[in-house]
Amino acid sequence: MGRTADAIAEGVAIATAAARLAVKNHILVGTIAENGVFDTDKYIDDAREALRAMAEESEEAAANVTALRKRARGRHSDPSGTHDYRDRDVRNLRRRAKQSSGVAAKLRDVMQDRDQLRVIVEEAREAAWADVRHNLDRRLRVEGMRPDQDPDYDRMREARMQALRLVDLQALSSQQRAKAKRKKKQKADAEAE
């Protein structure tokens, strides 16, 4: 393992990236699926909550590694498995606990810094927009593509035709039957009055 400060910085970077991803998903759900309005303050709270969960996870990891280190102290036999630590592992376990505690402390600092939380939210918003832009671009490219531009057109034609017959035409037929049934019922109800 590298220096403790480097390991802490890496852990914070990973946790921040995970928080950004969580906030990006909240933005996509909140604005697209739930037809909401983008509100930076709401997503700052989401970023803070994501960081809190990861800080708690790091604190729990530090506590677990500390317990393993205490149990390993004074044990000099051969280990029976990967997580069966011995006295020679104590120094490494101490470093790992310190790193986990350091990550948790840094994450708690970020949670209190509104400017850093705003950066996470802005980066998440940009990532959400990039996802939307990519999906729109892909759909427009696929739906707007002519057969002569698609290199897989001939190879995929039979599958598309089968899907048309088995799915699309069946759905259309079902819709037409339901429409006819509704019209028949409406006519019968009108004649009954």
Side-chain angles (χ1 to χ4, degrees), residues 78-86 88-89:
D78 287 335
S80 61
T82 305
H83 299 290
D84 187 20
Y85 297 106
R86 296 296 184 245
R88 65 181 165 266
D89 300 314

Side-chain angles (χ1 to χ4, degrees), residues 4 6 8 18 20 25 29-30 36 48 54-55 61 64 95-96 131 137 147 158 179 188 191:
T4 299
D6 291 341
I8 291 171
R20 202 171 22 255
N25 290 338
V29 169
R48 185 178 289 119
M54 286 178 266
N64 288 339
R95 184 181 315 126
R96 285 176 48 195
D131 279 3
D137 184 52
E158 183 56 38
K179 186 176 179 182
E191 289 175 358

